[in-house]
Amino acid sequence: MSAPVSAAQPDAVRRKVEAWLAEADQADAIALTARPEPLPEPVITVGGTRVRVVPCPTPLAARAALHDRADGERLVLLTELTDSELGDGVLAHLSKQTVRKIDPWDVVRQIFGGVRHLDPTLVRVGRWVADALTDHAPPDGWPTPPGAILTRDHALRSLTSELLDLPPTELDDSGLVQWSTDARRQLRFTTLPETVADGITTYLTSTAGRLAVPVMAAVRAGHGVDVIPLGLLAGLLWPTATNGTSEVEAAVGRTRLEPWFGGLRLTSQQAEALHQTAEAWIYRTFDSGEEGRDEAVRLLRRAEAIAGEIGVTGLLGASTVLPSGFVQRLRAFADAVRLAVPAGGSPVPGMVARAQTALAAVEAHRAAERRRLETARMAVRLLRWLHTADGPAPATLLDALHRQIRQDGWVDRARLDVFAGDPEPQVADAYRLLHRAVDARRSRHDHQFATLLAAATSAEAEPGALLRVEDVLDRVVQPIVDEGRRVLMLVLDGMGVAAATELAESITRSGTWVELSPGGGPRTGVLAALPTVTEASRCTLLTGRLATGGQQAELKAFKARFPAGLLLHKKALRAGAGTALDPEVLAALGDPAISVVVAVINTIDDALDRSDPGTTVWGQDTITAVEDLLASATDRVVVVVSDHGHVVDRGPESVVLTSASSENRWRPASSPAGEAEVAVTGSRVVLGGGTVVLPWREEVRYGPRKAGYHGGAAPAEAVIPLLVLTAGDDLAVPGWAGAPVASPDWWREPVTDAPPSSDTATPGRRRPRRPVEPQPEGLFDLGPVTAAPAPAPAPTPTPAVPGLLTALLASDRYAQRRDPRVPLADDRVAALLSTLIAGGDRATFDTLAARAGVPAHRISGTVTALRKLLQVEGYPVITLDPDGRTVHLDRALLIEQFELEPR
């Protein structure tokens, strides 16, 4: 029994006719073996010749077609009859006097430019390829093969590219996923015969990998535009063994997702491939601009909608990209924070460590909202601060001031973010609980500060090492001028310690500016005049004595103090269109005859009236005048101070007390001080007749509501930050040196699963911070000093692996590698390596600098020297993580390269 005859494909018939006419055959007709069925278009025109296609099931039909042929017209007879069945009379009119077969591969050769040979593996793919290449040939023809053989890859790549409307170079995983976002381009594929669609999918698997099968299945099922959302969900429904996803819920979700793939049940490998490519698309599109971000967000939301349809929203927390995943992780983090802040007590250490782990999960989410993520980081910092022992109350006002500069100012910075909160109610509740615990401890500190402030003010004691606002010109600026250096003093009205920590980071981040500190020790600060308002404290700062007044009084007194100086208020800094600074200001900064230039910048103080000082990050991008002035003052020593700090409005938590005046944070002493107030009297109280009542609790105010306030006795208002900066020259000011890392340990370093720290070191406990040495009385008496600046603090020993480090420092290879020109001291090497080992062979630059006693601006160079010292024959014992701030020690390689005994 002969095989059934296939129906003739219109394109195949046309290609056969083209080849027949190209033979210059003069026959009237050609007979082709095919089922005698009419074609959609019975007449085709080739090169000006009309050719009629006639189905001929019988010899009689063939004779009739030949008899009825019009003049100038040729015929194609489609018939299942053999030569003998047609008879000699009909054969005489046919090309080559025989019924010719339509060999699809002959047609393929023809449409590929008459290529002579076919790749045998192409033929073995099946006839569907030949038919598809014939039926779907583009108007301008298929691309010419690179050689004499039509290869399988060239043919299938060309066909797939045409059917998907996708360039051949994009037939990979990322290109295929991108193609799925265009419904128009998918339409043609959905109309293909099943054999062709299956064949194309099989070929795509070889070019795009395992994801081709689910992608094309989704397209055929009518869900092609949801491929990326489905891929994002695939990572949750086919989870890894370690992400904690409920297997039951995932299994149910997999079953419910099958119809989206036309009934296909994905393998775990296909799901993983689809998931990885979909996430990569999201990352790439997010970075492509605003339009791309909008499209990515749309598909993320669509994935969440599909998750709702199939009932797997509970799994979204495991996603690293879906917005709901971020929210669920944030909720889990909030639960950890809540557990870490038990009512009426210090956080449980294990719970603090658990909160840090929950934060890491929030940070790992690629769609994390930056502001909310930063607030979560601040929350963990506050937990770590609460985890440290509070210690005894400060004995002196200087101690209390330094606590605000070195500890509590950083607390204020973090709690401002936490106070601003989060829109998610569950997270907001946790932050409220945390803020209450922090506030309780900070209130004790504020009360202690205010009590010492009142006592010191009434005692009229000599300041000693305490730097007051009236002393800044004499004890900081003048000694610098006496050394022949010019000064730019920036007075940031209203800047507290919290804002100064942000500004200092912003200025020194690029490395152009280096912060100096007295003797290379910790930062110090300045005590404001009382009450802490601009009229009193700024005038006192700029006149160099206790005084009150406005701009005119400031200008007059400053000119008398520095005849060759220049004081610029806000109006004087403004310039015309296209100019950041007034030309006269620029000229003054460059004038060697003007020893001191002072610029008053009101950005922060203005925000207390009309903006939101609590959520603003105070850097060079938000205080543009600072950046502009620094850019033109690189040959000057820069002194950054303020006249007072501020507290932010507490909203519904505010307490409004009655007062005879309209001031917000101070009142005349017409009635005794209440529980939240302190009475202050003395010469440093320059308003209110020398005696005023100041609130020490931050939530108290007397006057109308604003965004922020100042005038009271809280350290956030009364302690003025002091920053001294030079353009890379840490020897610019005698008696000053490169400052160490300013942030406290709890700001930088995670807490371990150990009991709270105390003054007594106990095995297994976190190492206590190095105590702050008392400052000498003459710390700011910077007269003519010829000695070199005090050296940086000695490295602090860190418990590590003493035997290993001892063996390293004593090894011959270590001795050979030491550079005598730029030696790195052994105790510093030991401190750096001890810190790395104690941190699980990792530590940030800041932690290394703080633990090894290296000035903050020198730690990068110190680590580079350590890398060079330990890098034997090019093997990197010390490497830097991609974040550019975390150092990694390969301890095993260290032992191997220096031939040390494992410890």
Side-chain angles (χ1 to χ4, degrees), residues 352-485:
V352 176
R354 197 170 295 179
Q356 291 174 160
T357 301
L359 173 63
V362 176
E363 291 176 321
H365 200 281
R366 294 296 297 267
E369 298 177 40
R370 183 176 302 176
R371 181 188 64 81
R372 300 173 75 183
L373 176 58
E374 188 60 24
T375 301
R377 289 172 175 152
M378 293 299 183
V380 165
R381 284 167 167 156
L382 291 176
L383 286 175
R384 293 201 292 249
W385 176 68
L386 289 171
H387 173 69
T388 61
D390 196 8
T396 67
L397 182 57
L398 178 61
D399 292 337
L401 179 144
H402 281 160
R403 180 173 63 182
Q404 178 66 18
I405 290 289
R406 299 165 187 174
Q407 294 285 335
D408 287 359
W410 297 86
V411 174
D412 292 345
R413 173 176 167 182
R415 70 175 172 146
L416 284 172
D417 279 9
V418 171
F419 178 79
D422 190 274
E424 176 64 30
Q426 185 174 336
V427 182
D429 286 343
Y431 287 168
R432 189 177 302 113
L433 182 65
L434 173 61
H435 193 273
R436 190 179 302 127
V438 171
D439 239 16
R441 186 163 167 179
R442 281 291 285 105
S443 291
R444 292 196 301 271
H445 291 189
D446 289 353
H447 191 202
Q448 292 164 357
F449 177 89
T451 302
L452 291 168
L453 177 65
T457 303
S458 62
E460 302 284 359
E462 289 298 317
L466 177 66
L467 184 63
R468 305 165 305 180
V469 68
E470 59 267 34
D471 302 326
V472 170
L473 293 182
D474 283 339
R475 297 174 65 181
V476 177
V477 175
Q478 187 63 53
I480 297 173
V481 174
D482 290 343
E483 289 295 321
R485 298 299 302 264

Side-chain angles (χ1 to χ4, degrees), residues 79-340:
T79 183
E80 295 177 304
L81 302 173
T82 64
D83 288 356
S84 60
E85 289 171 333
L86 280 176
D88 292 341
V90 174
L91 294 177
H93 295 276
L94 301 181
S95 173
K96 299 187 182 295
Q97 292 78 49
T98 186
V99 180
R100 300 170 69 171
K101 294 182 179 180
I102 304 178
D103 185 344
W105 295 111
D106 286 342
V107 177
V108 168
R109 289 188 185 92
Q110 178 187 351
I111 59 181
F112 273 93
V115 66
R116 296 180 59 185
H117 303 289
L118 297 176
D119 183 347
T121 62
L122 171 62
V123 177
R124 286 197 292 270
V125 170
R127 175 166 176 166
W128 71 266
V129 181
D131 290 341
L133 286 168
T134 302
D135 294 342
H136 301 288
D140 54 352
W142 293 111
T144 303
I149 299 176
L150 176 59
T151 64
R152 173 183 177 277
D153 182 71
H154 182 82
L156 289 176
R157 185 175 292 273
S158 300
L159 176 62
T160 304
S161 174
E162 174 65 20
L163 295 179
L164 270 58
D165 189 19
L166 191 62
T169 56
E170 297 180 19
L171 296 178
D172 54 17
D173 53 357
S174 60
L176 194 59
V177 168
Q178 179 64 45
W179 170 81
S180 73
T181 63
D182 191 337
R184 177 189 59 81
R185 292 202 290 176
Q186 298 173 30
L187 187 60
R188 188 176 185 184
F189 182 81
T190 60
T191 62
L192 293 175
E194 187 172 347
T195 54
V196 178
D198 288 343
I200 294 297
T201 300
T202 301
Y203 173 71
L204 284 171
T205 303
S206 68
T207 63
R210 293 188 177 100
L211 67 83
V213 173
V215 169
M216 306 316 288
V219 171
R220 291 163 71 179
H223 298 293
V225 293
D226 287 327
V227 160
I228 291 172
L230 293 172
L232 298 175
L233 295 180
L236 308 178
L237 299 177
W238 283 264
T240 61
T242 58
N243 70 356
T245 301
S246 167
E247 179 55 34
V248 173
E249 191 174 0
V252 172
R254 290 195 291 267
T255 300
R256 292 175 177 172
L257 203 64
E258 286 181 18
W260 296 76
F261 293 101
L264 173 70
R265 187 168 185 81
L266 274 64
T267 67
S268 58
Q269 293 84 0
Q270 290 170 340
E272 178 63 17
L274 181 61
H275 171 237
Q276 289 183 354
T277 309
E279 281 203 348
W281 185 93
I282 290 289
Y283 302 152
R284 185 170 61 249
T285 308
F286 254 117
D287 296 335
S288 65
E290 184 175 350
E291 186 175 341
R293 285 192 296 273
D294 290 344
E295 177 66 5
V297 169
R298 184 185 70 79
L299 293 183
L300 290 171
R301 297 299 184 192
R302 176 59 180 156
E304 293 181 339
I306 296 174
E309 291 183 38
I310 64 176
V312 294
T313 54
L315 301 180
L316 297 181
S319 171
T320 59
V321 294
L322 294 174
S324 293
F326 171 68
V327 173
Q328 289 194 23
R329 291 180 183 213
L330 205 55
R331 288 172 181 164
F333 168 73
D335 291 341
V337 170
R338 189 178 294 104
L339 291 173

